[in-house]
């Protein structure tokens, strides 16, 4: 029996949302981290969890991962990703295909990730919802907790891959 694969759960960062854009000609990834102790009712008074959404900029995704490893104390676990938000600069610049290739190589990122687009990526990830919920928790809740009769259809990474490989375009 080997346990948790070498990195304990307390030493991992679990982003529910990932923002991707281009700024100053470089990729910018923003990780939306929920406040897990608060979300699960296990927070302790006076304890700051440090769950700000870190943004890292780099020429390549490998460079961004290396910068993350050097600057963050927790292991990045992308296995809980639920939301992908693409910035308009990335979409307009035609470099969104590289984001798809990067995510395809991330073995723990599933294809049921909901996708959104925005012209205000920074503002989206600074937003705090009710009870300080993160953008990942909020957007996932909107997609999955609609009442009967409301449209529940959202664009998923699976649909994006399918359309991209079929005709090289991105669904709206």
């Amino acid at each position: 029996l080997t346990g948790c694969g070498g990195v304990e759960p307390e030493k991992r960062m679990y982003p529910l949302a990932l923002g991707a854009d281009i700024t100053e000609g470089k990729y910018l990834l923003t990780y939306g981290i929920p406040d897990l102790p608060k979300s699960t009712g296990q927070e302790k008074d006076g304890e700051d969890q440090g769950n700000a959404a870190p943004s890292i900029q780099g020429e390549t995704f490998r460079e961004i991962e290396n910068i993350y490893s050097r600057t963050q104390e927790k292991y990045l676990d992308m296995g809980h990703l639920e939301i992908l938000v693409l910035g308009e600069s990335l979409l307009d610049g035609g470099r969104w295909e590289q984001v798809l290739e990067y995510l395809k190589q991330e073995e723990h990122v599933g294809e049921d990730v909901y996708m959104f687009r925005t012209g205000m990526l920074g503002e989206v990830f600074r937003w705090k919802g009710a009870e300080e919920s993160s953008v990942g928790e909020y957007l996932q809740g909107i997609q999955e907790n609609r009442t009967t009769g409301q449209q529940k259809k959202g664009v998923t990474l699976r649909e994006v891959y399918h359309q991209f490989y079929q005709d090289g375009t991105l669904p709206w």
Side-chain angles (χ1 to χ4, degrees):
L1 301 175
T2 61
C4 294
V7 179
E8 294 111 11
E10 304 83 32
K11 295 181 180 175
R12 294 175 185 244
M13 181 164 56
Y14 302 98
L16 287 182
L18 176 66
D21 209 353
I22 296 285
T23 181
E24 300 170 5
K26 296 181 178 181
Y27 292 105
L28 176 71
L29 294 185
T30 303
Y31 302 95
I33 313 298
D35 188 343
L36 292 178
K38 184 176 249 181
S39 297
T40 59
Q42 298 176 12
E43 71 179 319
K44 297 177 182 141
D45 290 335
E47 186 176 51
D48 179 16
Q49 296 299 314
N51 288 314
S55 292
I56 302 174
Q57 187 176 13
E59 296 282 341
T60 66
F61 296 109
R62 186 68 51 215
E63 179 183 353
I64 291 171
E65 287 175 351
N66 289 338
I67 292 169
Y68 176 89
S69 294
R70 286 193 318 265
T71 60
Q72 302 293 315
E73 65 184 48
K74 293 185 177 182
Y75 172 79
L76 183 61
D77 186 335
M78 298 286 281
H80 297 274
L81 191 65
E82 298 287 340
I83 304 295
L84 175 62
V85 182
L86 301 179
E88 291 294 335
S89 297
L90 180 77
L91 295 169
D92 294 342
R95 293 173 65 184
W96 56 271
E97 293 105 339
Q98 286 81 20
V99 175
L100 293 183
E101 291 299 320
Y102 166 66
L103 291 175
K104 191 168 69 172
Q105 295 172 16
E106 290 291 319
E107 62 187 28
H108 298 295
V109 174
E111 293 182 352
D112 290 332
V113 172
Y114 290 112
M115 295 191 59
F116 297 88
R117 65 190 305 159
T118 183
M120 305 179 302
L121 191 68
E123 288 83 3
V124 167
F125 278 83
R126 281 192 292 277
W127 179 86
K128 296 288 183 196
E131 297 185 25
E132 299 292 309
S133 65
S134 71
V135 69
E137 292 168 302
Y138 179 75
L139 290 175
Q140 179 186 12
I142 284 179
Q143 286 300 118
E144 295 182 350
N145 296 320
R146 296 187 180 214
T147 60
T148 304
Q150 288 182 322
Q151 181 184 6
K152 189 176 177 173
K153 181 77 173 124
V155 176
T156 64
L157 191 53
R158 177 179 293 115
E159 295 169 74
V160 170
Y161 284 141
H162 179 74
Q163 187 167 325
F164 174 67
Y165 291 122
Q166 196 135 47
D167 61 16
T169 63
L170 184 67
W172 182 254

